[in-house]
Amino acid sequence: MTIRLARAEEAPLLAAIVERAYGPWVPVIGRRPMPMEDDYAARIAAGEAWVLEEAGAPVALVVIERHADHLLLDNIAVDPARQGRGEGRLLLDFVEAEAAQRGLPEVRLYTNALMERNIALYARRGYAETGREVQKGFSRVFMAKPVRDSVATTPR
């Protein structure tokens, strides 16, 4: 498996992975999560969408945004049929390594307050809650994790 920048022609495939990954959350939060409404063609054009590929085909993705003092993990999606294989962990490792390579001191993210399983997963990974706020009608939990220069890089 390798991690690489997504290609323009893959935008519909990324949107389909996100639909499958976030679909189960719709009844939990009562509406479509923001990643389901994102413009993946624009994310790819901006160099913000990365894919985890196996045998030449994307199987999971991550969207990251560079900010002056942190790397924002905007979205991570693994097809439910592939969950439990460690692919989300590989993508988190990549994001943390990418922040370190870019000289940024931390990774920040936010998730819906009702996505308790995700909050617990991020906490186990060393992300600390930094606040809660309602934005665009979503109750969000903000989290951050400092990164070190010694974070191992993942293959691309």
Side-chain angles (χ1 to χ4, degrees):
M1 286 200 217
T2 59
I3 298 172
R4 62 166 173 77
L5 279 167
R7 299 180 189 119
E9 68 274 10
E10 294 171 328
L13 178 58
L14 271 57
I17 292 170
V18 168
E19 283 289 321
R20 290 189 299 274
Y22 283 88
W25 291 108
V26 173
V28 174
I29 65 174
R31 62 192 279 204
R32 290 169 58 84
M34 290 298 292
M36 294 175 84
E37 305 300 333
D38 208 349
D39 180 345
Y40 290 96
R43 291 294 196 166
I44 292 168
E48 297 173 342
W50 297 77
V51 296
L52 176 66
E53 73 175 359
E54 182 178 62
V59 297
L61 67 109
V62 66
V63 174
I64 55 176
E65 296 175 4
R66 183 187 178 101
H67 294 265
D69 61 348
H70 68 280
L71 193 63
L72 176 68
L73 169 53
D74 183 75
N75 174 14
I76 188 167
V78 177
D79 192 304
R82 299 185 63 90
Q83 289 175 357
R85 299 182 187 189
E87 293 169 358
R89 181 181 38 78
L90 285 173
L91 287 170
L92 281 172
D93 291 346
F94 167 77
V95 171
E96 293 165 12
E98 193 69 15
Q101 283 183 335
R102 294 179 186 199
L104 298 169
E106 71 180 359
V107 174
R108 295 181 190 172
L109 61 86
Y110 57 87
T111 190
N112 192 287
L114 295 174
M115 295 179 171
E116 295 173 357
R117 186 176 69 214
N118 291 355
I119 295 166
L121 179 146
Y122 291 128
R124 285 192 305 274
R125 287 283 307 215
Y127 288 81
E129 185 174 326
T130 60
R132 291 181 181 237
E133 188 176 326
V134 175
Q135 293 181 332
K136 300 179 183 178
F138 292 96
S139 181
R140 293 182 170 165
V141 176
F142 295 85
M143 304 180 86
K145 178 181 180 179
V147 296
R148 301 179 313 276
D149 290 336
S150 62
V151 174
T153 59
T154 52
R156 289 189 188 164

